[in-house]
Amino acid sequence: PTPRSVWQNMSNAIVQSTSHSKNGLLFAGWNQDQGCFACGMENGFRIYNCDPLKEKERQDFSDGGLAYVEMLFRCNYLALVGGGPRPKYPPNKGQCQSHTRTCMHA
């Protein structure tokens, strides 16, 4: 199997497992070069490096969760959409976030 097919199988397994578990995971997706992946959680998000597997960024929110977290390659720009039982942001609007600021987009 190719690296891309292995990551696709892992992605499918993660998404399927969230419907049967109470781990708070709402979304898992890879960046464009598949070197990192982001997880949207009921209480924030996590960013992981794939090789070696290591948590690179973590933000916990007390006021809600994220249904989608998308990375732009390996830079610090993230696209965020609220979700879960208590969305952090409106589920019908995207947020762009960097380490220094947040902006809202419809």
Side-chain angles (χ1 to χ4, degrees), residues 23-98:
N23 61 11
L25 182 65
L26 299 174
F27 173 82
W30 278 260
N31 67 342
Q32 289 88 345
D33 68 4
Q34 298 177 344
C36 297
F37 65 95
C39 297
M41 312 291 290
E42 288 181 355
N43 65 343
F45 68 87
R46 316 286 185 270
I47 305 291
Y48 295 91
N49 190 65
C50 291
D51 189 19
L53 183 60
K54 181 178 180 182
E55 185 177 85
K56 300 297 281 181
E57 177 79 23
R58 176 187 190 126
Q59 285 195 12
D60 292 315
F61 306 130
S62 60
D63 58 344
L66 300 171
Y68 293 98
V69 180
E70 291 288 345
M71 300 175 61
L72 179 60
F73 292 97
R74 290 179 180 254
C75 72
N76 62 345
Y77 291 109
L78 300 173
L80 309 172
V81 177
R86 295 178 309 121
K88 168 76 172 167
Y89 304 116
N92 61 341
K93 294 186 179 186
Q95 304 283 321
C96 292
Q97 182 177 9
S98 73

